[in-house]
Amino acid sequence: MKNKKIIFHHPLPLNFDAPSGSGIRPVKMYKAFVSLGYDVDLVVGYSKERQESIKIVKAKVEAGEKYQFCYSEASTMPLALTDKDHIPRRPLMDARFFHYLKKKRIRVGVFYRDIYWRFEETVPSSPKNAIKKLLANLFYRVELFIYNLFIDKLFVPSLAMAKYLPLIQEEKFHELNPGSTPKANGANIPGSRLELLYVGGTVGFYNINLLVEVISKHFNDTINLTICTRPADASVLLQKVGSLPHNVKVVSRSGEELETLYQKADCACLYMQPTEYRAFAVPIKLFEYVSFGKPVIASANTWVGDFVREQKLGWTIEYKETELHCFLDELVAQKSSIPELSERIGKKASQYTWYKRCREVETLLGNIK
């Protein structure tokens, strides 16, 4: 197809050095669309920048420019509040833009990344913060109402998340998992100690305390656990679990330093406390683990645990101290089998690329059937 053009919408600037999933995903999807051969017109940035870009796109459409579709990556903040100070300067601008695209028969798909706001249990510290929270929730619901009116597909990390999104017609939902970039370059041969790695948050929805406790108490001489997290999260974790033994290390790494941790690891962990949130949450780190060919240790009764079991990407273990202890004993005893599993997972990584995620979007929104 010659001169394929799409619109890429995101209510924040694209951050090409983003350290977390909320910033990584928009950049990866944008780059993957470019690699598919699309000429991508960006409507990104804060509201003033988006306003200018919308004017340009509309002028092109009126002049006869043909767009295959518009793909949008939502923020974890309400659409109207993404300016730096969270003041809704142009609260209906994006809604009017999506409405315009609908009138011009340009299909629109939005990836709705998360719904922390439906699970926030923190009590506001002041009446002022309580009002802010109330207004934010109102804007979140208005955003969903806008999507239901004007967009064709609402992409979600897992279909299990859909039931928590009110106001959206069921037929609009489509599951679109995170992607990855395959980086596996041969499996490790485990040494005298098994090397486990966890990358991600350690507070709030990211409770890894039982994993830390079991390895600290029972595997001083046979397992090393490296936890790579933000410095602020590291401080909170240390306050919760107290002093750590020599075989549990907390670090903050990114880029090439993080890749070094992956190369050293034998297996990776997403062993978290099963909660209602974990029943639908899809961490981008799961697919990053797979991209490095690392078998995943996941907790049962979570979306991740089900996916790991179904895709044969590692092991899914009940969230109990005795179950984890027993499993890790067996894993240490049978660690010679890990390289073969790592090789198989490394080969499967090509099934979960960003390129393939964009192909899914293209099939649903574009002219490719």
Side-chain angles (χ1 to χ4, degrees), residues 137-204:
N137 283 346
L138 174 62
F139 276 108
Y140 278 123
R141 290 176 184 276
V142 169
E143 180 179 350
L144 293 175
F145 179 73
I146 288 165
Y147 291 153
N148 193 55
L149 282 177
F150 302 132
I151 72 165
D152 298 279
K153 288 293 177 184
L154 191 73
F155 298 109
V156 286
S158 72
L159 281 177
M161 175 175 152
K163 71 177 182 179
Y164 297 98
L165 292 170
L167 309 173
I168 304 293
Q169 294 167 272
E170 187 177 349
E171 62 268 21
K172 288 184 184 285
F173 287 111
H174 183 83
E175 183 170 290
L176 189 70
N177 302 148
S180 63
T181 304
K183 295 183 178 181
N185 56 358
N188 289 349
I189 304 299
S192 58
R193 288 172 173 269
L194 198 60
E195 297 287 343
L196 303 187
L197 175 66
Y198 170 77
V199 183
T202 60
V203 299

Side-chain angles (χ1 to χ4, degrees), residues 1-283:
M1 193 186 298
K2 251 187 161 181
N3 299 321
K4 297 189 298 183
K5 288 185 73 73
I6 64 167
I7 303 159
F8 189 99
H9 174 275
H10 180 53
L12 288 168
L14 290 179
N15 181 358
F16 288 85
D17 298 309
S20 64
S22 58
I24 291 169
R25 182 176 179 124
V27 171
K28 294 291 189 183
M29 290 295 284
Y30 163 69
K31 288 182 174 179
F33 279 123
V34 171
S35 74
L36 275 171
Y38 281 106
D39 183 0
V40 182
D41 278 353
L42 294 173
V43 178
V44 302
Y46 300 114
S47 65
K48 185 178 180 181
E49 288 77 34
R50 298 202 307 282
Q51 184 180 53
E52 294 304 313
S53 297
I54 287 170
K55 288 178 183 176
I56 293 169
V57 168
K58 284 184 173 180
K60 288 184 176 181
V61 172
E62 296 302 324
E65 189 76 77
K66 300 296 183 186
Y67 289 100
Q68 299 295 311
F69 55 86
C70 172
Y71 175 77
S72 175
E73 282 268 341
S75 166
T76 52
M77 292 179 282
L79 184 58
L81 305 182
T82 56
D83 280 356
K84 287 182 180 180
D85 54 10
H86 308 307
I87 293 174
R89 290 180 175 80
R90 301 165 180 86
L92 296 177
M93 177 185 69
D94 299 283
R96 286 194 294 266
F97 180 52
F98 292 146
H99 184 208
Y100 173 83
L101 296 177
K102 183 175 182 177
K103 287 194 298 183
K104 296 296 181 179
R105 298 189 178 183
I106 298 170
R107 288 169 63 79
V108 180
V110 175
F111 178 77
Y112 199 83
R113 183 175 180 272
D114 221 320
I115 48 172
Y116 290 127
W117 61 278
R118 292 291 308 272
F119 291 84
E120 181 58 62
E121 296 177 351
T122 305
V123 177
S125 58
S126 68
K128 182 180 177 181
N129 286 339
I131 292 170
K132 283 183 177 179
K133 182 177 179 179
L134 187 67
L135 287 173
N137 283 346
L138 174 62
F139 276 108
Y140 278 123
R141 290 176 184 276
V142 169
E143 180 179 350
L144 293 175
F145 179 73
I146 288 165
Y147 291 153
N148 193 55
L149 282 177
F150 302 132
I151 72 165
D152 298 279
K153 288 293 177 184
L154 191 73
F155 298 109
V156 286
S158 72
L159 281 177
M161 175 175 152
K163 71 177 182 179
Y164 297 98
L165 292 170
L167 309 173
I168 304 293
Q169 294 167 272
E170 187 177 349
E171 62 268 21
K172 288 184 184 285
F173 287 111
H174 183 83
E175 183 170 290
L176 189 70
N177 302 148
S180 63
T181 304
K183 295 183 178 181
N185 56 358
N188 289 349
I189 304 299
S192 58
R193 288 172 173 269
L194 198 60
E195 297 287 343
L196 303 187
L197 175 66
Y198 170 77
V199 183
T202 60
V203 299
F205 297 115
Y206 303 89
N207 186 341
I208 61 167
N209 296 356
L210 184 58
L211 176 70
V212 174
E213 182 184 331
V214 169
I215 291 175
S216 299
K217 282 170 59 177
H218 303 292
F219 295 94
N220 275 205
D221 299 323
T222 52
I223 296 178
N224 289 334
L225 171 64
T226 300
I227 300 165
C228 182
T229 191
R230 292 176 293 248
D233 282 22
S235 298
V236 174
L237 176 66
L238 291 172
Q239 288 172 13
K240 281 184 179 179
V241 302
S243 60
L244 294 172
H246 65 88
N247 64 323
V248 179
K249 184 166 60 173
V250 181
V251 300
S252 297
R253 301 283 188 271
S254 61
E256 290 183 4
E257 290 183 328
L258 178 56
E259 290 204 14
T260 300
L261 293 181
Y262 274 117
Q263 289 163 7
K264 183 181 177 184
D266 298 308
C267 304
C269 303
L270 278 170
Y271 191 80
M272 299 179 190
Q273 182 178 14
T275 60
E276 187 177 7
Y277 177 81
R278 285 281 148 219
F280 63 81
V282 186

Side-chain angles (χ1 to χ4, degrees), residues 262-308:
Y262 274 117
Q263 289 163 7
K264 183 181 177 184
D266 298 308
C267 304
C269 303
L270 278 170
Y271 191 80
M272 299 179 190
Q273 182 178 14
T275 60
E276 187 177 7
Y277 177 81
R278 285 281 148 219
F280 63 81
V282 186
I284 196 170
K285 291 302 176 189
L286 168 62
F287 295 91
E288 187 169 287
Y289 290 169
V290 172
S291 75
F292 282 93
K294 302 303 172 184
V296 180
I297 300 169
S299 42
N301 302 309
T302 64
W303 187 93
V304 169
D306 291 344
F307 188 81
V308 166

